[in-house]
Amino acid sequence: MADKSLNRTELVAAVAAESGQSQATVNGVVDALFSVVSGSVADGTKVTIPGWIAFEKTHRAARTGRNPQTGDAIEIAASDSVKVSAGSKLKAAVK
């Protein structure tokens, strides 16, 4: 399977072509979208685009782990993370 990817520049160009807007306008919208999503998730607000994607902040409790090289027990600190879930429309588009 070939490694296919779409970088930010290509994404902006594709959305601009699809929507008929300039690349500068689309780039501004993409910047604003990521700014709002990251700020909201950082504040603990779940961001959902129904059927497409959802972002939410999660918390991992502190726990004891093992150093794989020595087998010694180590304490892993509590941390926050982000969970990204694909919606039904996105899952259906991939099938």
Side-chain angles (χ1 to χ4, degrees):
M1 184 163 101
D3 181 28
K4 296 181 182 181
S5 63
L6 185 70
N7 67 29
R8 181 190 170 99
T9 304
E10 295 165 340
L11 174 66
V12 168
V15 171
E18 184 80 16
S19 67
Q21 300 294 317
S22 70
Q23 287 189 19
T25 301
V26 172
N27 193 47
V29 171
V30 170
D31 284 340
L33 173 68
F34 288 132
S35 176
V36 170
V37 168
S38 63
S40 296
V41 171
D43 290 340
T45 304
K46 183 176 181 178
V47 178
T48 304
I49 301 171
W52 290 103
I53 198 163
F55 305 90
E56 67 182 304
K57 184 177 181 178
T58 60
H59 181 75
R60 290 188 196 135
R63 61 199 184 277
T64 302
R66 295 264 173 214
N67 180 330
Q69 290 182 332
T70 64
D72 293 340
I74 57 172
E75 290 299 316
I76 301 170
S79 63
D80 290 326
S81 187
V82 177
K83 178 182 175 184
V84 180
S85 303
S88 59
K89 291 179 183 177
L90 183 56
K91 289 177 184 179
V94 173
K95 289 186 179 183

